Amino acid sequence: MVIRVLIADDQSMVRSALAMLLTGEDGIEVVGEAADGAEAVARAAELRPTVVVMDVRMPGTDGVEATRQITADTFPGEARVLVLTTYNVSEAVYQALRAGASGFLLKDAAPGELVGAVRALADGDGWLDPAVVADMLAEFAARPERIRPAPAELAALTGREREVLVLVAHGFSNAEIAAHLFIGEATVKTHIGRILLKLGTRDRAQAVAAAYQCGLVTPGSSPPLP
């Protein structure tokens, strides 16, 4: 399946650079560009991209509001949003995650990370930049607008599902979780699907935030040994 990407950024040079990085990758096609949030929403409805690479700070309709509209249940298509920012942690990032973004990446990340993030979102996973994930999610968890799972929801997780959620919260990919727990990747995906359903979270990013919020994972902790 070809991953269709829409790039939204108010700087034409940034859009061109991102397009060049992604166009040469096997199975990825850049289908369009947008210079602001309103155009991103319109182009996403028209082009039905798989992933929207979205700058959060744009004039007019910003990336947060554009993300909210694109990820709404009534919006045509099922695009997932990868937020780009020059700031490690900002109010816009928190709001974008709450608005429905499935990934977060710094603009100075290595090209391979951008490609990996796009592929992860297209595969149904989330992506949180490892450089800032602990600090960002710890702060995100402490804010008043919470997605904290209820005790009954947390108790509904099996022991294996808790293990998987902990590894997800530490930034492990599906392949790494499979190797760590000596199970298949398909089994990992099944566990993650059940975790999302039981916690009432929409995607991997929110599940990670929930893991921090409920204390299942704490900032600075190390992943469990296999």
Side-chain angles (χ1 to χ4, degrees):
M1 182 186 72
V2 174
I3 301 171
R4 296 166 55 80
V5 178
L6 171 67
I7 298 172
D9 194 292
D10 61 329
Q11 299 182 40
S12 60
M13 289 184 64
V14 173
R15 294 198 306 273
S16 297
L18 294 173
M20 287 180 62
L21 285 173
L22 294 172
T23 298
E25 294 296 322
D26 185 46
I28 296 178
E29 178 186 3
V30 177
V31 296
E33 298 180 9
D36 57 40
E39 187 179 5
V41 173
R43 296 287 278 166
E46 171 194 357
L47 299 170
R48 307 290 182 92
T50 315
V51 175
V52 180
V53 178
M54 179 84 72
D55 183 20
V56 291
R57 298 184 182 278
M58 294 183 288
T61 302
D62 64 11
V64 174
E65 178 56 30
T67 296
R68 183 175 292 110
Q69 294 183 37
I70 290 171
T71 59
D73 292 339
T74 56
F75 194 80
E78 298 181 354
R80 296 168 66 82
V81 177
L82 174 65
V83 171
L84 290 184
T85 180
T86 54
Y87 303 93
N88 281 16
V89 181
S90 70
E91 181 62 28
V93 172
Y94 298 124
Q95 295 300 327
L97 287 173
R98 292 193 180 101
S102 295
F104 162 71
L105 189 67
L106 295 178
K107 281 189 173 180
D108 62 359
E113 289 187 77
L114 172 63
V115 174
V118 168
R119 293 193 188 281
L121 264 64
D123 196 37
D125 293 333
W127 184 279
L128 297 172
D129 195 311
V132 294
V133 63
D135 289 342
M136 183 186 72
L137 288 175
E139 179 67 17
F140 182 78
R143 289 182 169 238
E145 293 179 45
R146 296 176 181 268
I147 56 170
R148 183 187 298 277
E153 293 171 341
L154 189 61
L157 297 181
T158 66
R160 178 63 88 188
E161 287 165 355
R162 284 177 177 246
E163 287 180 306
V164 170
L165 180 55
V166 167
L167 293 175
V168 169
H170 279 291
F172 281 50
S173 67
N174 285 2
E176 290 169 335
I177 293 172
H180 192 84
L181 298 178
F182 304 102
I183 57 179
E185 282 192 59
T187 302
V188 173
K189 289 185 179 182
T190 298
H191 284 312
I192 291 175
R194 289 173 179 166
I195 290 167
L196 299 183
L197 181 63
K198 291 178 180 181
L199 296 185
T201 48
R202 63 175 293 152
D203 58 33
R204 195 183 188 106
Q206 286 197 347
V208 172
Y212 276 86
Q213 288 174 343
C214 70
L216 191 60
V217 180
T218 56
S221 63
S222 300
L225 296 174

